[in-house]
Amino acid sequence: MSQSKIKLKGEEDIKNLREGGKRLANIMRELSEHVKVGISTDELDTIYNKMVIEGGDTPSLLNYQPYGAEYPFPASICISLNDEIVHGIPSRDVIIKEGDLVKIDSCLTHNGLIVDHAMTVPVGEISKEEKELLEVTKRARTAGIKAAKAGNYISDISKAIEKEIGKGYGIVKILSGHGVGYKVHEEPYVPNYYDGVRGVRLEEGLVIAIEPMVNLGTDDAELCADGYTFVTADGEKSAHFEHTVLVTKNGGEILTQ
């Protein structure tokens, strides 16, 4: 990966990303309160879309077509339940139930700049094992953010995430964090494990999405027939947490908080 392909953000860009990140965090916090037994994932998508538009912004994922996809994404947020890791498509037929782990992944465009944020919301009572999964995944995200320091390398983020997750969990390896801002997905890509590659050197002004995806079982994942939803290969549950982060000399500044 060439350092020259990395697009650093300027002062005005960062100002807009901070504001967009604040807006997205507030919307996601409010949306999480609607995640209850009996609501459909399509209803959650509608609520999110309305909040974003009423705020004067744009849901970045609606009609976004990533590289390799056969058709544009048909919703404003990704909602993935239980063994679904990421990129689940909201549906009227998918109803939230007691014990579900609901992963919501969202992007918002504010003044032309995109921020990315994800959380896993437990519904009602979940097992001790599942609670620990959520905590491990959140701690891994925090460790990665701390390592997002100018002068470090992408691999320092990857190593920090992997170390915090430790043994006993599956780290999804075919999906990763990424640059974000001018587009939903930009370089550099940010693996959640050390793949033996140092990666690019981190510079102030680099904006990345740090997003560990952790499984209770194997790290193997499969793509469903819809062309978007990834699921765990063994049917075990998965967790996902994500922040948009600005690289600074003191570590990562969380923009979606």
Side-chain angles (χ1 to χ4, degrees):
M1 185 188 305
S2 170
Q3 195 93 24
S4 64
K5 291 183 179 180
I6 306 300
K7 296 180 179 179
L8 301 179
K9 275 62 181 181
E11 189 175 330
E12 190 63 25
D13 293 336
I14 292 168
K15 179 182 176 182
N16 281 311
L17 287 164
R18 285 191 178 115
E19 177 60 27
K22 188 187 302 181
R23 292 178 180 213
L24 180 55
N26 288 335
I27 287 170
M28 287 285 278
R29 194 175 300 115
E30 185 173 339
L31 183 66
S32 69
E33 296 175 2
H34 292 273
V35 180
K36 297 177 180 178
V37 173
I39 194 168
S40 73
T41 55
D42 179 71
E43 287 177 272
L44 291 171
D45 180 70
T46 299
I47 293 167
Y48 174 84
N49 185 282
K50 182 180 179 183
M51 286 193 289
V52 171
I53 291 173
E54 286 181 347
D57 298 314
T58 304
S60 320
L61 296 182
L62 183 61
N63 296 319
Y64 170 66
Q65 188 165 352
Y67 177 80
E70 294 184 359
Y71 60 98
F73 193 74
S76 296
I77 49 174
C78 302
I79 305 183
S80 312
L81 305 186
N82 303 321
D83 65 325
E84 296 173 344
I85 302 167
V86 286
H87 304 163
I89 300 173
S91 169
R92 295 177 187 174
D93 300 325
V94 178
I95 309 298
I96 303 298
K97 303 185 299 297
E98 176 80 14
D100 281 344
L101 295 186
V102 181
K103 281 138 284 181
I104 303 174
D105 192 355
S106 62
C107 289
L108 176 149
T109 303
H110 173 72
N111 287 349
L113 276 297
I114 298 168
V115 286
D116 196 352
H117 185 25
M119 61 176 64
T120 301
V121 182
V123 180
E125 283 299 314
I126 61 171
S127 70
K128 179 183 177 182
E129 184 182 40
E130 290 163 356
K131 289 177 183 177
E132 290 172 352
L133 171 69
L134 300 191
E135 289 306 313
V136 164
T137 309
K138 281 192 281 189
R139 289 200 305 268
R141 180 184 60 180
T142 299
I145 292 167
K146 288 180 180 178
K149 185 177 181 179
N152 280 352
Y153 290 84
I154 289 294
S155 58
D156 291 309
I157 298 174
S158 304
K159 289 175 182 178
I161 291 171
E162 184 174 30
K163 181 180 179 182
E164 189 61 49
I165 294 169
K167 296 181 180 179
Y169 294 97
I171 302 174
V172 179
K173 295 180 178 177
I174 63 172
L175 299 164
S176 71
H178 52 88
V180 66
Y182 302 129
K183 298 178 181 178
V184 173
H185 296 109
E186 299 176 0
E187 291 192 17
Y189 284 88
V190 187
N192 293 309
Y193 71 104
Y194 179 51
D195 59 2
V197 178
R198 187 172 68 171
V200 298
R201 187 172 182 271
L202 303 177
E203 298 180 61
E204 290 188 83
L206 176 63
V207 177
I208 52 178
I210 293 179
E211 51 174 325
M213 291 154 271
V214 185
N215 303 337
L216 278 176
T218 178
D219 58 8
D220 292 333
E222 298 173 350
L223 181 62
C224 294
D226 65 16
Y228 277 100
T229 310
F230 282 89
V231 297
T232 60
D234 58 4
E236 291 284 359
K237 289 185 178 180
S238 182
H240 177 215
F241 288 94
E242 176 182 26
H243 272 311
T244 295
V245 175
L246 170 67
V247 172
T248 79
K249 62 183 179 181
N250 298 316
E253 176 190 335
I254 301 171
L255 301 179
T256 44
Q257 182 168 261

